[in-house]
């Protein structure tokens, strides 16, 4: 039976460390600040934004929320981001995705000042991640790396298979595993022989967004299985991509959903906001 990788427990440690750093910064008169922008009324986005605000409170980070109506224009949104770029109380800017149709997410991402880009989506930060000279790491892949580290799982030399190649999860995930000296295979919707490739993974990361996508016959006995997916099952319950019942019998370690990667994402956002506040005050993170 697989050992469960407890994202709640590990995220609590990361947040506790962030809280200690915030307390030290406050002694120097620096209060890390995060602005969260949400456009429209997507219920899942509302839950994420509320969770982020709660985490800020718990860690001692100052937060501001900008809840804009779905008919907000691109220019209004860009104007807000430009204003936040100039606002000294705000060290991190997060625009919750997805944005309503008609808004250009790519243009928005490029408008966020890279030093306030706590999601690490700006091309400058993406380039730094490619080089391995980053200040910020995208929260979800960074959370996965932290979970691996805290479970004592060695990535060096392992065959790591990432299913999914999105800019926010799959691609940076693959890059971080590569920086940790994993041998990385990236799979996507056009991949042939997906099951065979997955069965050769020592570390399998699924970021597809389809409930029950990863079945037992895709898992090598003893593999580490990381489930990034956040989906709803037929009864409307939150679930990942992995058939947990089948996978836990085969894997050595596995992340549950909920309680695995999800809480890590928010904890890494807190860490990135602290890093941003340090960088903007000339302190080495
Ligand atoms: P996305 O942009 O929709 O990307 C999904 C990826 O899965 C794409 O690269 C797609 O391939 C691939 N894919 C789809 N069907 C496939 C198939 N049949 N075989 C192989 N690959 C397939 O999604 P995302 O933003 O990366 O998010 C992925 C999942 O992670 C979602 O469930 C999301 O909710 C979740 N998520 C969780 C967290 C967290 O904190 N836990 C954070 C972010 C996202 P193509 O590129 O070829 O289309």
């Amino acid at each position: 039976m697989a050992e469960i990788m407890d994202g709640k427990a590990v995220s609590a440690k990361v947040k506790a460390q962030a809280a200690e750093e915030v307390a030290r910064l406050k002694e120097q008169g620096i209060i890390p600040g995060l602005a969260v922008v949400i456009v429209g009324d997507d219920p899942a986005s509302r839950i994420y934004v509320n969770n982020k605000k709660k985490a800020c409170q718990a860690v001692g980070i100052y937060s501001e929320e900008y809840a804009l109506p779905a008919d907000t224009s691109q220019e209004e949104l860009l104007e807000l981001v430009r204003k936040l770029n100039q606002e000294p109380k705000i060290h991190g800017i997060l625009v919750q995705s997805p944005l309503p149709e008609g808004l250009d997410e790519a243009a928005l991402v490029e408008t966020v000042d890279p030093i306030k880009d706590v999601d690490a989506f700006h091309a400058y930060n993406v380039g730094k991640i490619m080089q391995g000279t980053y200040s910020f790491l995208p929260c979800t892949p960074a959370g996965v790396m932290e979970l691996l580290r805290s479970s004592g799982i060695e990535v060096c030399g392992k065959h790591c298979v990432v299913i999914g190649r999105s800019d926010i999860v799959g691609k940076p995930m693959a890059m971080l595993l590569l920086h940790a000296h994993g041998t990385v295979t990236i799979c996507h919707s056009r991949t042939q022989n997906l099951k065979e490739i997955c069965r050769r993974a020592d570390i399998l990361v699924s970021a597809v967004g389809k409930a029950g996508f990863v079945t037992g016959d895709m898992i090598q006995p003893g593999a580490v299985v990381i489930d990034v997916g956040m989906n709803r099952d037929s009864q409307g319950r939150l679930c990942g991509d992995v058939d947990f019942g089948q996978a836990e019998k085969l894997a050595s370690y596995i992340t549950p959903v909920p309680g695995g990667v999800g809480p890590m994402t928010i904890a890494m956002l807190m860490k990135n906001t602290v890093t941003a506040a340090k960088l903007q005050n000339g302190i080495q993170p």
Side-chain angles (χ1 to χ4, degrees), residues 140 164-166 168 188-189 207-210 213 228-231 262 265:
T140 302
R165 56 173 166 179
S166 70
I168 64 166
H188 46 79
S189 65
V208 174
K210 291 183 180 163
F213 184 80
V228 180
M230 292 232 265
N231 314 300
T265 298

Side-chain angles (χ1 to χ4, degrees), residues 48 97 121 139-141 144 162-171 186-191 194 206-211 213 218 227-232 238-241 257 260-266:
Y48 298 146
S97 65
F121 293 166
C139 300
T140 302
V144 171
V162 179
I163 323 175
R165 56 173 166 179
S166 70
D167 289 341
I168 64 166
V169 189
K171 282 183 203 159
I186 307 173
C187 300
H188 46 79
S189 65
R190 317 282 174 91
T191 297
L194 181 73
S206 183
V208 174
K210 291 183 180 163
F213 184 80
M218 295 165 76
D227 192 351
V228 180
M230 292 232 265
N231 314 300
R232 296 276 164 191
L238 187 63
C239 68
D241 291 345
V257 179
V261 177
M264 294 304 299
T265 298
I266 294 184

